[in-house]
PDB file of all heavy atoms in Angstrom:
ATOM      1  N   PRO A   8     -49.422  10.496  -8.921  1.00 85.00           N
ATOM      2  CA  PRO A   8     -50.561  10.786  -8.043  1.00 85.00           C
ATOM      3  C   PRO A   8     -50.363  10.248  -6.623  1.00 85.00           C
ATOM      4  O   PRO A   8     -49.918   9.118  -6.436  1.00 85.00           O
ATOM      5  CB  PRO A   8     -51.750  10.100  -8.718  1.00 85.00           C
ATOM      6  CG  PRO A   8     -51.201   9.240  -9.784  1.00 85.00           C
ATOM      7  CD  PRO A   8     -49.782   9.607 -10.012  1.00 85.00           C
ATOM      8  N   LYS A  11     -54.585  10.995  -2.096  1.00 90.00           N
ATOM      9  CA  LYS A  11     -55.751  11.881  -2.275  1.00 90.00           C
ATOM     10  C   LYS A  11     -56.019  12.141  -3.753  1.00 90.00           C
ATOM     11  O   LYS A  11     -57.165  12.282  -4.156  1.00 90.00           O
ATOM     12  CB  LYS A  11     -55.609  13.176  -1.479  1.00 90.00           C
ATOM     13  CG  LYS A  11     -54.687  14.199  -2.053  1.00 90.00           C
ATOM     14  CD  LYS A  11     -54.744  15.485  -1.242  1.00 90.00           C
ATOM     15  CE  LYS A  11     -54.100  16.596  -2.016  1.00 90.00           C
ATOM     16  NZ  LYS A  11     -54.286  17.893  -1.399  1.00 90.00           N
ATOM     17  N   ILE A  40     -60.025  13.333 -21.637  1.00 94.00           N
ATOM     18  CA  ILE A  40     -61.112  12.659 -20.929  1.00 94.00           C
ATOM     19  C   ILE A  40     -61.372  11.289 -21.553  1.00 94.00           C
ATOM     20  O   ILE A  40     -61.520  10.291 -20.845  1.00 94.00           O
ATOM     21  CB  ILE A  40     -62.376  13.533 -20.908  1.00 94.00           C
ATOM     22  CG1 ILE A  40     -62.160  14.708 -19.946  1.00 94.00           C
ATOM     23  CG2 ILE A  40     -63.608  12.725 -20.498  1.00 94.00           C
ATOM     24  CD1 ILE A  40     -63.262  15.741 -19.954  1.00 94.00           C
ATOM     25  N   ASN A  43     -57.985   9.093 -20.810  1.00 90.00           N
ATOM     26  CA  ASN A  43     -57.650   8.827 -19.408  1.00 90.00           C
ATOM     27  C   ASN A  43     -58.787   8.225 -18.592  1.00 90.00           C
ATOM     28  O   ASN A  43     -58.538   7.629 -17.550  1.00 90.00           O
ATOM     29  CB  ASN A  43     -57.142  10.095 -18.733  1.00 90.00           C
ATOM     30  CG  ASN A  43     -55.855  10.595 -19.356  1.00 90.00           C
ATOM     31  OD1 ASN A  43     -55.022   9.813 -19.791  1.00 90.00           O
ATOM     32  ND2 ASN A  43     -55.693  11.899 -19.413  1.00 90.00           N
ATOM     33  N   TYR A  44     -60.020   8.416 -19.051  1.00 92.00           N
ATOM     34  CA  TYR A  44     -61.156   7.934 -18.270  1.00 92.00           C
ATOM     35  C   TYR A  44     -61.998   6.903 -19.028  1.00 92.00           C
ATOM     36  O   TYR A  44     -63.026   6.469 -18.534  1.00 92.00           O
ATOM     37  CB  TYR A  44     -62.042   9.101 -17.837  1.00 92.00           C
ATOM     38  CG  TYR A  44     -61.350  10.039 -16.880  1.00 92.00           C
ATOM     39  CD1 TYR A  44     -60.747  11.208 -17.335  1.00 92.00           C
ATOM     40  CD2 TYR A  44     -61.293   9.750 -15.513  1.00 92.00           C
ATOM     41  CE1 TYR A  44     -60.103  12.071 -16.457  1.00 92.00           C
ATOM     42  CE2 TYR A  44     -60.649  10.607 -14.635  1.00 92.00           C
ATOM     43  CZ  TYR A  44     -60.054  11.763 -15.103  1.00 92.00           C
ATOM     44  OH  TYR A  44     -59.419  12.610 -14.235  1.00 92.00           O
ATOM     45  N   VAL A  46     -63.851   7.206 -21.721  1.00 95.00           N
ATOM     46  CA  VAL A  46     -65.152   7.729 -22.154  1.00 95.00           C
ATOM     47  C   VAL A  46     -65.234   7.645 -23.676  1.00 95.00           C
ATOM     48  O   VAL A  46     -64.278   7.970 -24.380  1.00 95.00           O
ATOM     49  CB  VAL A  46     -65.333   9.191 -21.690  1.00 95.00           C
ATOM     50  CG1 VAL A  46     -66.586   9.813 -22.269  1.00 95.00           C
ATOM     51  CG2 VAL A  46     -65.355   9.254 -20.173  1.00 95.00           C
ATOM     52  N   ARG A  52     -68.733  16.562 -26.070  1.00 97.00           N
ATOM     53  CA  ARG A  52     -68.966  17.710 -26.956  1.00 97.00           C
ATOM     54  C   ARG A  52     -67.994  18.822 -26.560  1.00 97.00           C
ATOM     55  O   ARG A  52     -67.747  19.026 -25.373  1.00 97.00           O
ATOM     56  CB  ARG A  52     -70.384  18.266 -26.810  1.00 97.00           C
ATOM     57  CG  ARG A  52     -71.498  17.270 -26.919  1.00 97.00           C
ATOM     58  CD  ARG A  52     -71.734  16.856 -28.376  1.00 97.00           C
ATOM     59  NE  ARG A  52     -72.924  16.041 -28.507  1.00 97.00           N
ATOM     60  CZ  ARG A  52     -73.010  14.760 -28.208  1.00 97.00           C
ATOM     61  NH1 ARG A  52     -71.969  14.117 -27.719  1.00 97.00           N
ATOM     62  NH2 ARG A  52     -74.135  14.089 -28.387  1.00 97.00           N
ATOM     63  N   ARG A  71     -54.462  50.557 -33.956  1.00 91.00           N
ATOM     64  CA  ARG A  71     -53.501  49.509 -33.627  1.00 91.00           C
ATOM     65  C   ARG A  71     -52.122  50.121 -33.341  1.00 91.00           C
ATOM     66  O   ARG A  71     -51.454  49.759 -32.376  1.00 91.00           O
ATOM     67  CB  ARG A  71     -53.417  48.490 -34.766  1.00 91.00           C
ATOM     68  CG  ARG A  71     -52.600  47.278 -34.421  1.00 91.00           C
ATOM     69  CD  ARG A  71     -52.695  46.138 -35.424  1.00 91.00           C
ATOM     70  NE  ARG A  71     -52.624  46.522 -36.817  1.00 91.00           N
ATOM     71  CZ  ARG A  71     -53.671  46.553 -37.649  1.00 91.00           C
ATOM     72  NH1 ARG A  71     -54.870  46.230 -37.224  1.00 91.00           N
ATOM     73  NH2 ARG A  71     -53.526  46.912 -38.902  1.00 91.00           N
ATOM     74  N   ALA A  74     -52.273  51.791 -29.953  1.00 92.00           N
ATOM     75  CA  ALA A  74     -52.270  50.794 -28.882  1.00 92.00           C
ATOM     76  C   ALA A  74     -50.859  50.240 -28.676  1.00 92.00           C
ATOM     77  O   ALA A  74     -50.405  50.077 -27.539  1.00 92.00           O
ATOM     78  CB  ALA A  74     -53.247  49.668 -29.201  1.00 92.00           C
ATOM     79  N   ALA A 123     -43.173  33.812 -15.880  1.00 66.00           N
ATOM     80  CA  ALA A 123     -42.658  32.525 -16.372  1.00 66.00           C
ATOM     81  C   ALA A 123     -41.509  32.094 -15.483  1.00 66.00           C
ATOM     82  O   ALA A 123     -40.684  32.905 -15.086  1.00 66.00           O
ATOM     83  CB  ALA A 123     -42.189  32.667 -17.817  1.00 66.00           C
TER      84      ALA A 123
END
Side-chain angles (χ1 to χ4, degrees):
K11 77 174 194 172
I40 288 173
N43 297 326
Y44 295 97
V46 173
R52 309 284 188 282
R71 188 170 44 255

